[in-house]
Amino acid sequence: MRGEYQQLVDEISAALGAPATLEDRDFGLIAFGAHGGDDDLEMMMDPVRTRSILQRRSTAAVRAWFEAFGIARAQAPLRIPPDPAAGVFKGRICLPVRHRGVVHGYVWLLDDGHLAGLDLKVPFADPRLAQAMETAARIGALLAAEARAGAELGELLRDLLTARPAGREAARGALREALGSAADGPLAVVAVAPWRAAADGDGDDQAGPDGTGSALAAQSGVAAMCAVPGVLPGGSAALAALVRLRATSSPAPAQAAADRLLRSPRAGRGDAAAGTAAAGIGTPRRGLAELPDAWAEGLAAARAAVADRKLGPVAQWAAIGPYRVLTGLPAEHAADEAVLPLLEPAHTELARTAEVYLDCAGQAGRTAAALGVHRQTLYYRLGRVEQLTGLDLDDGEDRLLLHMTLKAARLRSRT
């Protein structure tokens, strides 16, 4: 289907005599027309277009800038002026790609001298523009069909990952039938947390019911994906993505998919904390039987990477150390009573000092260097930690209790 999109984009480029690009509604690149000649080289010297083609996606700032012109609601072509301050050196003509009233993407044409004469107020009066709009409608129908198919696969995946044990066999059978031979091959589950679905208040009523899209799935190299609501301690959703592997010992495709998914505008909470999203990869499995376990591992790894940025932004289950235990603990059982005074906001610096000290295996020199403090300052702080908690930092069991509780608090506060 990707080749069919390319063919249709080439048709629009030929009809209007200008190179075109096709992006989905999240500004992920799907296809772009050929560029050639001196005029096209000049047109390519537009940072926004160049970045879109090279990185396969526009930034959130670029998306917001273009959406401010009303492209998500447009029924007809729009002319958008250049703005060098925004990196948009050339004006654009945007053809909204719609199907049954829903926008599924955008065709972009650089508005050079060849297109200056197009009258967008009566788009179908110009046969070139009419042909381009007809082709855009065909693209919209394809994207809509792909979205429906992707949504069905996503629903089957969610059923398998979240069903009670008694219902998993039916969900597994339905997903196996949908995936065909790929269902018996090596697979990995990638979790992205948190994941912002359309219902979380971003105002995008054209997004899929779970805030995912088939175009994003295809670009990220995943077989199926779905948002799973309410799986994080704060009630937020996470994304589950099923990735085909060449072998269970080669998780590189899962790593690449996680990297791409983290660049989605839906990765994060959609506010100042949006940059805190991370991805986790469960241990690869062969076949569908153990996918719920792989999902639990991937989600735990994603939560650990959110809590401890040294692990991320993409963490594998095997590499998250004590978080393999801590992510399995109920939140109400993860804070020991003795350590609670240290977790109060007034003692944030003391808690950090204790955690770094324990991370450094109790070596004062390493700890002082990591914190950027004098050793005497470190010793004073550690003494205060012992006074607040009643724990003896020379006792191995007390140190273990304090260390695990501090890690659990970090996990709880970040996810």
Short mmCIF file of all heavy atoms in Angstrom, two decimals, residues 300-348:
data_model
loop_
_atom_site.label_atom_id
_atom_site.label_comp_id
_atom_site.label_asym_id
_atom_site.label_seq_id
_atom_site.Cartn_x
_atom_site.Cartn_y
_atom_site.Cartn_z
N ALA A 300 6.65 -2.55 32.37
CA ALA A 300 7.52 -2.33 33.53
C ALA A 300 8.80 -1.61 33.12
O ALA A 300 9.27 -0.70 33.80
CB ALA A 300 7.85 -3.66 34.20
N ALA A 301 9.37 -2.02 31.98
CA ALA A 301 10.61 -1.38 31.51
C ALA A 301 10.36 0.08 31.13
O ALA A 301 11.20 0.95 31.39
CB ALA A 301 11.17 -2.15 30.31
N ALA A 302 9.20 0.36 30.53
CA ALA A 302 8.88 1.75 30.19
C ALA A 302 8.72 2.59 31.44
O ALA A 302 9.22 3.73 31.52
CB ALA A 302 7.61 1.80 29.34
N ARG A 303 8.03 2.06 32.45
CA ARG A 303 7.87 2.80 33.70
C ARG A 303 9.22 3.06 34.36
O ARG A 303 9.47 4.14 34.89
CB ARG A 303 6.97 2.01 34.66
CG ARG A 303 5.51 1.94 34.26
CD ARG A 303 4.71 1.19 35.32
NE ARG A 303 4.85 1.85 36.62
CZ ARG A 303 4.72 1.22 37.79
NH1 ARG A 303 4.45 -0.08 37.82
NH2 ARG A 303 4.85 1.88 38.92
N ALA A 304 10.10 2.06 34.32
CA ALA A 304 11.42 2.23 34.92
C ALA A 304 12.21 3.31 34.18
O ALA A 304 12.91 4.12 34.80
CB ALA A 304 12.17 0.90 34.89
N ALA A 305 12.09 3.33 32.86
CA ALA A 305 12.83 4.33 32.07
C ALA A 305 12.29 5.73 32.31
O ALA A 305 13.03 6.71 32.24
CB ALA A 305 12.76 3.96 30.59
N VAL A 306 10.99 5.86 32.57
CA VAL A 306 10.42 7.16 32.92
C VAL A 306 10.97 7.61 34.27
O VAL A 306 11.33 8.78 34.47
CB VAL A 306 8.88 7.11 32.95
CG1 VAL A 306 8.31 8.37 33.57
CG2 VAL A 306 8.31 6.92 31.54
N ALA A 307 11.06 6.67 35.21
CA ALA A 307 11.49 7.01 36.57
C ALA A 307 12.98 7.29 36.64
O ALA A 307 13.42 8.17 37.38
CB ALA A 307 11.13 5.87 37.52
N ASP A 308 13.76 6.55 35.89
CA ASP A 308 15.22 6.66 35.96
C ASP A 308 15.75 6.85 34.55
O ASP A 308 15.89 5.90 33.79
CB ASP A 308 15.80 5.38 36.58
CG ASP A 308 17.27 5.53 36.94
OD1 ASP A 308 17.93 6.41 36.37
OD2 ASP A 308 17.74 4.75 37.79
N ARG A 309 16.04 8.10 34.20
CA ARG A 309 16.40 8.42 32.81
C ARG A 309 17.72 7.79 32.39
O ARG A 309 18.02 7.75 31.20
CB ARG A 309 16.46 9.94 32.62
CG ARG A 309 15.16 10.65 32.93
CD ARG A 309 13.95 10.06 32.26
NE ARG A 309 13.91 10.31 30.82
CZ ARG A 309 12.89 9.98 30.04
NH1 ARG A 309 11.83 9.37 30.55
NH2 ARG A 309 12.92 10.25 28.76
N LYS A 310 18.50 7.28 33.33
CA LYS A 310 19.72 6.57 32.95
C LYS A 310 19.41 5.30 32.17
O LYS A 310 20.24 4.79 31.44
CB LYS A 310 20.56 6.22 34.19
CG LYS A 310 21.09 7.41 34.97
CD LYS A 310 22.13 7.00 35.99
CE LYS A 310 21.58 6.02 37.02
NZ LYS A 310 20.61 6.66 37.94
N LEU A 311 18.20 4.79 32.32
CA LEU A 311 17.81 3.55 31.66
C LEU A 311 17.28 3.78 30.25
O LEU A 311 17.23 2.85 29.45
CB LEU A 311 16.72 2.83 32.47
CG LEU A 311 17.10 2.39 33.87
CD1 LEU A 311 15.87 1.88 34.60
CD2 LEU A 311 18.19 1.33 33.82
N GLY A 312 16.84 5.00 29.97
CA GLY A 312 16.08 5.24 28.76
C GLY A 312 16.79 6.12 27.77
O GLY A 312 17.98 6.38 27.91
N PRO A 313 16.01 6.58 26.76
CA PRO A 313 14.54 6.57 26.69
C PRO A 313 13.91 5.24 26.30
O PRO A 313 12.70 5.09 26.35
CB PRO A 313 14.26 7.62 25.62
CG PRO A 313 15.46 7.58 24.74
CD PRO A 313 16.62 7.31 25.63
N VAL A 314 14.73 4.27 25.88
CA VAL A 314 14.20 2.94 25.57
C VAL A 314 14.94 1.93 26.43
O VAL A 314 16.17 1.87 26.40
CB VAL A 314 14.38 2.59 24.08
CG1 VAL A 314 13.82 1.19 23.79
CG2 VAL A 314 13.70 3.63 23.18
N ALA A 315 14.20 1.17 27.21
CA ALA A 315 14.82 0.21 28.12
C ALA A 315 14.30 -1.19 27.83
O ALA A 315 13.11 -1.37 27.53
CB ALA A 315 14.54 0.58 29.57
N GLN A 316 15.16 -2.16 27.93
CA GLN A 316 14.76 -3.55 27.81
C GLN A 316 14.55 -4.15 29.20
O GLN A 316 15.25 -3.79 30.16
CB GLN A 316 15.81 -4.35 27.04
CG GLN A 316 15.97 -3.87 25.60
CD GLN A 316 16.82 -4.80 24.76
OE1 GLN A 316 16.84 -6.01 24.99
NE2 GLN A 316 17.50 -4.24 23.78
N TRP A 317 13.60 -5.05 29.29
CA TRP A 317 13.25 -5.67 30.56
C TRP A 317 14.48 -6.23 31.27
O TRP A 317 14.65 -6.05 32.48
CB TRP A 317 12.23 -6.78 30.32
CG TRP A 317 12.05 -7.76 31.43
CD1 TRP A 317 12.51 -9.04 31.48
CD2 TRP A 317 11.34 -7.56 32.66
NE1 TRP A 317 12.15 -9.65 32.65
CE2 TRP A 317 11.42 -8.76 33.40
CE3 TRP A 317 10.66 -6.48 33.22
CZ2 TRP A 317 10.85 -8.91 34.65
CZ3 TRP A 317 10.07 -6.63 34.48
CH2 TRP A 317 10.16 -7.83 35.17
N ALA A 318 15.37 -6.86 30.53
CA ALA A 318 16.53 -7.51 31.15
C ALA A 318 17.49 -6.50 31.76
O ALA A 318 18.35 -6.88 32.57
CB ALA A 318 17.26 -8.36 30.12
N ALA A 319 17.37 -5.21 31.41
CA ALA A 319 18.37 -4.22 31.82
C ALA A 319 17.90 -3.28 32.92
O ALA A 319 18.61 -2.33 33.24
CB ALA A 319 18.80 -3.41 30.60
N ILE A 320 16.73 -3.51 33.51
CA ILE A 320 16.20 -2.52 34.46
C ILE A 320 16.48 -2.87 35.92
O ILE A 320 16.02 -2.17 36.82
CB ILE A 320 14.70 -2.27 34.24
CG1 ILE A 320 13.87 -3.53 34.50
CG2 ILE A 320 14.44 -1.72 32.84
CD1 ILE A 320 12.36 -3.29 34.47
N GLY A 321 17.23 -3.94 36.16
CA GLY A 321 17.71 -4.25 37.50
C GLY A 321 16.61 -4.37 38.54
O GLY A 321 15.63 -5.10 38.34
N PRO A 322 16.71 -3.65 39.67
CA PRO A 322 15.74 -3.81 40.76
C PRO A 322 14.32 -3.42 40.37
O PRO A 322 13.37 -3.83 41.05
CB PRO A 322 16.28 -2.87 41.85
CG PRO A 322 17.12 -1.87 41.12
CD PRO A 322 17.74 -2.64 39.99
N TYR A 323 14.17 -2.65 39.31
CA TYR A 323 12.82 -2.27 38.90
C TYR A 323 12.01 -3.47 38.41
O TYR A 323 10.79 -3.40 38.32
CB TYR A 323 12.87 -1.19 37.82
CG TYR A 323 13.38 0.14 38.32
CD1 TYR A 323 14.64 0.60 37.98
CD2 TYR A 323 12.60 0.93 39.16
CE1 TYR A 323 15.12 1.82 38.44
CE2 TYR A 323 13.07 2.14 39.64
CZ TYR A 323 14.34 2.58 39.28
OH TYR A 323 14.80 3.78 39.75
N ARG A 324 12.69 -4.58 38.08
CA ARG A 324 11.93 -5.78 37.71
C ARG A 324 11.10 -6.26 38.89
O ARG A 324 10.02 -6.82 38.72
CB ARG A 324 12.90 -6.89 37.26
CG ARG A 324 13.59 -6.60 35.94
CD ARG A 324 14.09 -7.89 35.29
NE ARG A 324 15.11 -8.55 36.09
CZ ARG A 324 16.42 -8.35 35.96
NH1 ARG A 324 16.87 -7.48 35.07
NH2 ARG A 324 17.27 -9.01 36.71
N VAL A 325 11.60 -6.04 40.11
CA VAL A 325 10.84 -6.40 41.31
C VAL A 325 9.89 -5.27 41.70
O VAL A 325 8.70 -5.50 41.99
CB VAL A 325 11.80 -6.71 42.48
CG1 VAL A 325 11.02 -6.92 43.78
CG2 VAL A 325 12.65 -7.93 42.16
N LEU A 326 10.38 -4.06 41.68
CA LEU A 326 9.60 -2.93 42.19
C LEU A 326 8.36 -2.64 41.36
O LEU A 326 7.33 -2.24 41.91
CB LEU A 326 10.48 -1.68 42.25
CG LEU A 326 11.65 -1.76 43.24
CD1 LEU A 326 12.54 -0.53 43.11
CD2 LEU A 326 11.13 -1.89 44.67
N THR A 327 8.42 -2.82 40.05
CA THR A 327 7.24 -2.54 39.23
C THR A 327 6.12 -3.54 39.47
O THR A 327 4.98 -3.29 39.11
CB THR A 327 7.62 -2.56 37.73
OG1 THR A 327 8.33 -3.76 37.42
CG2 THR A 327 8.48 -1.36 37.37
N GLY A 328 6.45 -4.66 40.10
CA GLY A 328 5.42 -5.65 40.39
C GLY A 328 4.76 -5.47 41.74
O GLY A 328 3.80 -6.18 42.07
N LEU A 329 5.23 -4.50 42.52
CA LEU A 329 4.66 -4.27 43.84
C LEU A 329 3.47 -3.33 43.79
O LEU A 329 3.52 -2.31 43.09
CB LEU A 329 5.71 -3.68 44.78
CG LEU A 329 6.90 -4.55 45.16
CD1 LEU A 329 7.86 -3.75 46.04
CD2 LEU A 329 6.44 -5.81 45.88
N PRO A 330 2.40 -3.60 44.50
CA PRO A 330 1.31 -2.62 44.61
C PRO A 330 1.85 -1.33 45.23
O PRO A 330 2.70 -1.37 46.12
CB PRO A 330 0.30 -3.30 45.53
CG PRO A 330 0.64 -4.75 45.50
CD PRO A 330 2.12 -4.83 45.26
N ALA A 331 1.37 -0.20 44.76
CA ALA A 331 1.88 1.10 45.22
C ALA A 331 1.79 1.25 46.74
O ALA A 331 2.69 1.79 47.38
CB ALA A 331 1.13 2.23 44.54
N GLU A 332 0.72 0.70 47.33
CA GLU A 332 0.53 0.89 48.77
C GLU A 332 1.52 0.05 49.59
O GLU A 332 1.67 0.26 50.80
CB GLU A 332 -0.90 0.54 49.17
CG GLU A 332 -1.32 -0.90 48.92
CD GLU A 332 -1.88 -1.11 47.52
OE1 GLU A 332 -1.66 -0.23 46.65
OE2 GLU A 332 -2.56 -2.14 47.30
N HIS A 333 2.18 -0.91 48.95
CA HIS A 333 3.13 -1.76 49.68
C HIS A 333 4.58 -1.41 49.36
O HIS A 333 5.48 -2.12 49.80
CB HIS A 333 2.89 -3.24 49.33
CG HIS A 333 1.56 -3.74 49.77
ND1 HIS A 333 0.91 -4.80 49.18
CD2 HIS A 333 0.72 -3.30 50.76
CE1 HIS A 333 -0.26 -5.01 49.77
NE2 HIS A 333 -0.39 -4.10 50.74
N ALA A 334 4.80 -0.35 48.59
CA ALA A 334 6.14 -0.04 48.11
C ALA A 334 6.85 1.02 48.94
O ALA A 334 7.97 1.38 48.62
CB ALA A 334 6.08 0.41 46.65
N ALA A 335 6.21 1.51 50.00
CA ALA A 335 6.84 2.55 50.84
C ALA A 335 6.90 2.05 52.28
O ALA A 335 5.87 1.81 52.91
CB ALA A 335 6.05 3.84 50.76
N ASP A 336 8.11 1.86 52.79
CA ASP A 336 8.26 1.40 54.17
C ASP A 336 8.03 2.55 55.13
O ASP A 336 8.45 3.69 54.89
CB ASP A 336 9.65 0.81 54.37
CG ASP A 336 9.79 0.20 55.75
OD1 ASP A 336 9.34 -0.95 55.94
OD2 ASP A 336 10.34 0.87 56.64
N GLU A 337 7.40 2.22 56.25
CA GLU A 337 7.01 3.25 57.22
C GLU A 337 8.22 4.02 57.76
O GLU A 337 8.17 5.24 57.97
CB GLU A 337 6.26 2.59 58.39
CG GLU A 337 5.14 3.44 58.94
CD GLU A 337 4.31 2.68 59.96
OE1 GLU A 337 3.46 1.88 59.54
OE2 GLU A 337 4.56 2.90 61.15
N ALA A 338 9.33 3.34 57.93
CA ALA A 338 10.50 4.00 58.50
C ALA A 338 11.06 5.08 57.58
O ALA A 338 11.65 6.05 58.04
CB ALA A 338 11.59 2.96 58.79
N VAL A 339 10.85 4.90 56.28
CA VAL A 339 11.44 5.82 55.30
C VAL A 339 10.51 6.97 54.97
O VAL A 339 10.92 7.97 54.38
CB VAL A 339 11.85 5.05 54.02
CG1 VAL A 339 12.62 5.94 53.05
CG2 VAL A 339 12.70 3.83 54.38
N LEU A 340 9.25 6.88 55.36
CA LEU A 340 8.27 7.90 54.99
C LEU A 340 8.69 9.32 55.37
O LEU A 340 8.50 10.25 54.59
CB LEU A 340 6.90 7.56 55.59
CG LEU A 340 6.16 6.37 54.97
CD1 LEU A 340 4.83 6.14 55.69
CD2 LEU A 340 5.92 6.62 53.48
N PRO A 341 9.27 9.56 56.57
CA PRO A 341 9.69 10.94 56.89
C PRO A 341 10.69 11.50 55.88
O PRO A 341 10.68 12.70 55.59
CB PRO A 341 10.30 10.81 58.28
CG PRO A 341 9.66 9.59 58.87
CD PRO A 341 9.47 8.65 57.73
N LEU A 342 11.54 10.64 55.34
CA LEU A 342 12.55 11.09 54.39
C LEU A 342 11.92 11.47 53.05
O LEU A 342 12.51 12.24 52.28
CB LEU A 342 13.60 9.99 54.19
CG LEU A 342 14.81 10.31 53.32
CD1 LEU A 342 15.63 11.44 53.92
CD2 LEU A 342 15.68 9.05 53.13
N LEU A 343 10.73 10.93 52.77
CA LEU A 343 10.08 11.18 51.48
C LEU A 343 9.24 12.45 51.46
O LEU A 343 8.65 12.78 50.44
CB LEU A 343 9.20 9.98 51.11
CG LEU A 343 9.92 8.64 50.97
CD1 LEU A 343 8.94 7.54 50.62
CD2 LEU A 343 11.02 8.73 49.92
N GLU A 344 9.19 13.16 52.60
CA GLU A 344 8.44 14.41 52.63
C GLU A 344 9.14 15.46 51.78
O GLU A 344 10.38 15.47 51.65
CB GLU A 344 8.30 14.90 54.07
CG GLU A 344 7.45 13.98 54.94
CD GLU A 344 7.39 14.44 56.39
OE1 GLU A 344 8.02 15.49 56.69
OE2 GLU A 344 6.74 13.76 57.21
N PRO A 345 8.37 16.37 51.14
CA PRO A 345 8.98 17.37 50.24
C PRO A 345 10.10 18.17 50.88
O PRO A 345 11.05 18.56 50.20
CB PRO A 345 7.79 18.26 49.89
CG PRO A 345 6.59 17.38 50.04
CD PRO A 345 6.90 16.45 51.17
N ALA A 346 10.04 18.40 52.19
CA ALA A 346 11.07 19.21 52.85
C ALA A 346 12.44 18.53 52.86
O ALA A 346 13.47 19.18 53.08
CB ALA A 346 10.64 19.52 54.29
N HIS A 347 12.45 17.22 52.61
CA HIS A 347 13.71 16.47 52.69
C HIS A 347 14.13 15.90 51.34
O HIS A 347 14.83 14.87 51.29
CB HIS A 347 13.57 15.34 53.73
CG HIS A 347 13.22 15.82 55.10
ND1 HIS A 347 13.94 16.80 55.76
CD2 HIS A 347 12.19 15.48 55.94
CE1 HIS A 347 13.40 17.03 56.94
NE2 HIS A 347 12.33 16.24 57.07
N THR A 348 13.74 16.55 50.27
CA THR A 348 14.06 16.05 48.93
C THR A 348 15.57 15.90 48.73
O THR A 348 16.03 14.89 48.17
CB THR A 348 13.49 17.01 47.87
OG1 THR A 348 12.07 17.06 48.02
CG2 THR A 348 13.84 16.53 46.47
#
